[in-house]
Every structure is written in C-alpha cells, then in structure tokens.
Amino acid sequence: MAPAKTFHPLMEDTEHDYHCLCHGDGVREILDGLCSRFYSMGAGRSRSGRAVEVGALVLRDIMRTWRHLGVIEPDMVLTCGNAGDVRKAIAASRLRGIGVLHVEQDIYNPIEMIAFADIVTAPSGRYRDYLEDQYLLENVEVIGGYPHALYVSRLQIVDPGIRDYTLLVLGGDLRRRDIPEVISGVEALDRRVLVVPFRFSPDYVRSFVKSGNVEVLEGFVDLPSLMSAADLMVYGAGMGITIEAAVLGVPSIKIKGFHGRHASVDLAGEVGIPVADAGDLRDVVDDVRPPAASDIVRNAEAALSKLSELVEDFNEFAGPRGGFKSMKRIWDARKHFR
C-alpha cells in the first residue's frame, strides 16, 4: 500500500485520467475516487513458494497486465515500490512499448526490472549516485523527498478512543522465525501492547503470547490513528511505516529485522528513531523521543512538484535505460537481501 500512498498526492493534485493496476483491497481503499478503474494484476507471491510455480504465476500475471494495458492504452506507466507488481508492470509495459516512470525508495534492494524504466527517481543526490554507481542506471532524477509524507500530513486522524498502550506493527522486515523473539521482547517491556500482525496470521502471532498485557488485533485497523494515539510504537517494517511515524511524531523503535542495509534504516537514523534488535528493546525504550522530522513534509512538497514535472514533461526527461547490464547487477545484489 505504500506505493499507493506515494502516488495519492500526485493523483489528487493533477487532473489526469488514472487507471490503477494492483492486487488486494488496500490499494483500492486508498485510491478510491482518484482512479477511473481498477484492474487486478493477480496475487502476491509467498516467499515459501517453489521457484518454478512462482515463476509460472508471475508470467501469467505479466500477460494479464499486458492485456489490461491494451485495454487502457495509457500514455505512460507509473510504478513504485519493491514488489512483484513493479516487475509485472514494467515487463508488460516494455512489451507494449509504453514509457515507464519508476519512483524508487528502497535504493539498496530495488526490483531488477527498474533497469528498463525510462526514468527512475531517487529521494536525494546521494541515493541517485548509489543507483548509478552500483546498479549502472543511466537516467536517475532527484526529486528531493518522499511524497508519501504529504499523504500522511493530509490524513484525517480519528481518535481511536483508547490510551496508554504500546503499538507493535509486524511488517515486511520480519520473517516468521523472528516473531517469537519480537513478542518476547515487547512482553519484557511490561506495558499494555496492541499488536497489528500486518504480514502474519493473528493466530500464528497469538501462539507466542504469554502475557495478558498483549492483545493481537484482527481485521482492518486504522493504523495511522492507532499510531498517533500510542505512547510508543515498535515496528518491524520498512519505508512506509518509518515515514508515517516521522510525520505523525510517534515515539518509535524500529526492529532491525533481516535487512542489514535499507533506506528506511537511513531515514530512521535521520529523524531520530532508534534501530534495535528485538531482544534489546528494554535497553533503549527509556531513551526514545518523538522523531525530529520537521523537514519531511516540506521536502515531500518539493518532491511532489518535481514528480509532477517529470510526468508532465515525460518525453523531455525520458532517457537511456540501464538495460541488461543494470538488470544483472541488481539481480546479483538482491541475493544478499533475502
């Protein structure tokens, strides 16, 4: 859903006819009213699936996306994020000969298919240099921030009607085998804890809970509202949650997770969110302060302006692609992030 939140301000502030290729209901909820139509790209792929089966499903979804693009006949395709949907969209767009603008935020571990985007954006000059030097991308434009932050600043926060709790968000920076240690770590804080499983089954998470202070939530939750009312948030997730914690000013601890290097870790350091192992939460919790993120929304406004310019003058900015050399460089690097 983070890519949808990144594009929401652009779609809200411009008058183009947008069509959305996605999977799941979360994107539809975020972009409802801004898209003429939604098209299914298939389903997300489990990390545990066999390579041959997953590959066949991805190829099927690429062809599904290719057919959708034939119906839509777009002037260009916008992609964002580090998910299979980016791979499918760029592959199908190349087959159709449609230009692609990709908004990159993960930086260290991008999807290899961004090598075939006509424009790739980066949040800063330092990240542009990394993408060009490490991954041989040839047309990276600096937008100077994260438009997602502007989306969060415009949200209507609802009072959840509860107080005095720690919020635990279990996201994509964690694996199933990490959950027991994470639950044990928050139980050691001796606080009331509300758990949003996010990427994990509530029953699976609940099976490791030993304290009556820990409650695992089910179904839809208004996460920003729960975040804003929490005394503390502990999260094992990436860029999206880090941006939202910073904009909302939520005292937070980011669990280190299995990504040794990640742009969300960089951003957490910049805004003052400590990054710690799950077993060390009790050692750092007393020193946690609200993030120092006064610039993040202002930078997001500048980023949106630059992104709008790239969309409006796409043909002027579209340049050489990294191609197969870039794709191989990214593919080889991704092995270290699994």
Side-chain angles (χ1 to χ4, degrees), residues 1-24:
M1 293 187 291
K5 295 175 182 179
T6 292
F7 285 132
H8 187 284
L10 175 71
M11 298 168 68
E12 191 173 50
D13 292 3
T14 56
E15 297 181 354
H16 297 292
D17 181 20
Y18 290 99
H19 293 248
C20 181
L21 298 161
C22 62
H23 76 265

Side-chain angles (χ1 to χ4, degrees), residues 151-218:
Y151 168 83
V152 181
S153 72
R154 296 174 177 179
L155 280 176
Q156 294 292 325
I157 300 299
V158 178
D159 186 346
I162 51 177
R163 292 290 184 274
D164 302 321
Y165 63 91
T166 291
L167 183 67
L168 173 62
V169 180
L170 305 176
D173 277 15
L174 300 173
R175 296 187 174 110
R176 281 174 61 90
R177 63 174 178 264
D178 298 324
I179 301 305
E181 183 182 13
V182 173
I183 294 299
S184 176
V186 296
E187 287 181 333
L189 298 179
D190 195 25
R191 298 174 173 218
R192 181 190 182 193
V193 179
L194 302 182
V195 184
V196 178
F198 219 43
R199 296 287 185 92
F200 302 91
S201 160
D203 288 338
Y204 175 75
V205 175
R206 197 175 288 115
S207 69
F208 301 104
V209 174
K210 298 181 177 62
S211 169
N213 290 332
V214 178
E215 177 184 356
V216 181
L217 305 180
E218 295 195 49

Side-chain angles (χ1 to χ4, degrees), residues 70-264:
V71 173
I72 301 167
E73 297 184 336
D75 296 315
M76 62 182 298
V77 171
L78 303 173
T79 62
C80 179
N82 184 4
D85 288 353
V86 169
R87 182 180 292 118
K88 300 171 196 174
I90 296 179
S93 298
R94 298 305 338 141
L95 291 172
R96 286 282 182 190
I98 302 169
V100 176
L101 187 159
H102 175 76
V103 178
E104 184 55 55
Q105 298 182 146
D106 290 297
I107 308 300
Y108 303 117
N109 183 30
I111 288 289
E112 73 288 337
M113 282 301 293
I114 71 169
F116 298 98
D118 299 273
I119 302 172
V120 176
T121 75
S124 69
R126 174 170 65 95
Y127 284 147
R128 174 200 58 205
D129 294 345
Y130 186 90
L131 291 170
E132 291 180 345
D133 295 343
Q134 297 297 317
Y135 296 141
L136 309 180
L137 295 174
E138 296 190 15
N139 190 30
V140 183
E141 293 284 341
V142 177
I143 59 174
Y146 301 96
H148 185 155
L150 202 56
Y151 168 83
V152 181
S153 72
R154 296 174 177 179
L155 280 176
Q156 294 292 325
I157 300 299
V158 178
D159 186 346
I162 51 177
R163 292 290 184 274
D164 302 321
Y165 63 91
T166 291
L167 183 67
L168 173 62
V169 180
L170 305 176
D173 277 15
L174 300 173
R175 296 187 174 110
R176 281 174 61 90
R177 63 174 178 264
D178 298 324
I179 301 305
E181 183 182 13
V182 173
I183 294 299
S184 176
V186 296
E187 287 181 333
L189 298 179
D190 195 25
R191 298 174 173 218
R192 181 190 182 193
V193 179
L194 302 182
V195 184
V196 178
F198 219 43
R199 296 287 185 92
F200 302 91
S201 160
D203 288 338
Y204 175 75
V205 175
R206 197 175 288 115
S207 69
F208 301 104
V209 174
K210 298 181 177 62
S211 169
N213 290 332
V214 178
E215 177 184 356
V216 181
L217 305 180
E218 295 195 49
F220 171 79
V221 297
D222 182 354
L223 188 58
S225 294
L226 283 176
M227 289 168 59
S228 65
D231 298 326
L232 171 72
M233 178 171 68
V234 177
Y235 68 99
M239 183 60 74
I241 299 296
T242 303
I243 290 171
E244 293 179 13
V247 175
L248 296 173
V250 184
S252 301
I253 303 172
K254 178 175 168 59
I255 300 173
K256 190 173 294 183
F258 66 89
H259 289 303
R261 194 176 193 190
H262 199 278
S264 64

